[in-house]
Amino acid sequence: MRTPLVIGNWKMHGTLVEARALAAGLRDGLKRPRGVQVVVCPPFTSLAAVSEILTGGPIQLGAQTCHHEAAGAHTGEISIPMLAEVGCRWTLVGHSERRKEMGESDQLINLKLRALLAQGLTPVLCVGETAEERRQGLTFTTVEGQLRAGLAGVGTDEIAKTVLAYEPVWAIGTGVNASPTQAAEVQGYLRGLLSELASKETAQTVRILYGGSVKAENAEVLLAEPEVDGALVGGASLNAQSFIGIVRKAARIGTAAKE
């Protein structure tokens, strides 16, 4: 049984004061979530402060990206040991905004993913097609290419420790989410690829999240799909009550599935 996972990606939002207030609101509102796992990914400047607030509670800390080298002359970058030191246990890799704005290649994303696994953090590999790729019928081709490249050279045991996130680029920040059917179709395809890249048993254990305009109003119908194992939440994670609402819906579905 795959426990639902809800990740809040705060992106480039929030001063220290705002981050502390948001983290405190989440901590107080989610003291004992059952049937769901919760992670938040603040900006680098807020990681230490948020870590202090969340320490000892059920909400775990993640980062939005990392550098694949442990140290070196990489101005402006943050290493995995630095993230681990402030309490990060998760890191997003290959988010579409990093691919587009920072020009991150599949090869670079693979280096990051492998480095995270080697150093004991959980990578959340993001894949997804653009609106034009979907119009041209290239959705499966695109996500398959990103998945295969992202997991190149990664063994079955390591794939089992990885989380995937299907985030159609056309749904991110647009207010237009993929339908439950669209999300389930692509995520089912990704699970089939995992069976090929690892094993059927491993594919059934890997969690595949949906990301793209997830909010409290649409979370339940998306999370109700058997192939959707949780959500990667952007804008709605910046409001404590909105994010808590999504987490609670995931928890209800996760608890019901176990009964």
Side-chain angles (χ1 to χ4, degrees):
M1 188 64 228
R2 298 184 297 268
T3 300
L5 169 63
V6 179
I7 301 177
N9 177 13
W10 297 2
K11 305 190 180 184
M12 196 177 72
H13 292 287
T15 61
L16 273 176
V17 170
E18 292 167 335
R20 286 192 179 105
L22 178 53
L26 295 176
R27 177 199 62 197
D28 296 342
L30 293 170
K31 292 182 179 179
R32 288 181 295 276
R34 296 183 180 179
V36 65
Q37 194 168 18
V38 187
V39 177
V40 293
C41 300
F44 287 139
T45 53
S46 301
L47 284 173
V50 172
S51 180
E52 289 180 6
I53 291 169
L54 299 181
T55 295
I59 304 173
Q60 297 185 21
L61 192 67
Q64 298 176 20
T65 187
C66 65
H67 195 280
H68 59 279
E69 296 286 352
H74 306 292
T75 301
E77 293 292 339
I78 304 293
S79 72
I80 298 169
M82 293 173 184
L83 296 175
E85 186 178 37
V86 294
C88 286
R89 296 295 175 263
W90 308 72
T91 302
L92 305 180
V93 285
H95 192 284
S96 63
E97 290 159 359
R98 299 290 305 180
R99 293 178 188 264
K100 180 181 178 182
E101 294 183 18
M102 308 303 170
E104 291 193 1
S105 66
D106 286 325
Q107 292 70 32
L108 177 59
I109 291 162
N110 175 252
L111 288 174
K112 293 184 178 189
L113 183 142
R114 292 166 68 179
L116 285 162
L117 288 167
Q119 297 183 56
L121 272 69
T122 301
V124 182
L125 174 61
C126 303
V127 302
E129 82 284 5
T130 64
E132 184 59 30
E133 287 167 338
R134 177 165 278 272
R135 279 193 294 269
Q136 293 181 12
L138 298 174
T139 295
F140 294 142
T141 301
T142 298
V143 298
E144 179 172 352
Q146 292 171 340
L147 181 67
R148 288 185 181 277
L151 295 179
V154 179
T156 297
D157 290 347
E158 286 72 34
I159 289 176
K161 300 173 185 176
T162 301
V163 172
L164 301 184
Y166 168 55
E167 43 151 27
V169 181
W170 49 271
I172 298 173
T174 64
V176 180
N177 60 282
S179 69
T181 301
Q182 288 173 321
E185 182 181 40
V186 176
Q187 294 183 213
Y189 183 74
L190 290 170
R191 200 173 302 283
L193 291 172
L194 288 174
S195 296
E196 177 187 335
L197 294 170
S199 68
K200 289 183 179 179
E201 293 74 21
T202 297
Q204 289 304 312
T205 65
V206 172
R207 287 179 287 187
I208 307 178
L209 315 181
Y210 169 77
S213 295
V214 178
K215 39 191 177 288
E217 294 76 17
N218 62 25
E220 194 155 10
V221 293
L222 286 163
L223 294 169
E225 287 289 338
E227 286 295 348
V228 178
D229 301 318
L232 176 55
V233 186
S237 70
L238 300 174
N239 177 282
Q241 291 309 309
S242 175
F243 188 66
I244 289 169
I246 294 170
V247 171
R248 286 177 175 166
K249 288 175 180 179
R252 282 200 299 271
I253 292 169
T255 301
K258 290 180 179 180
E259 293 176 348

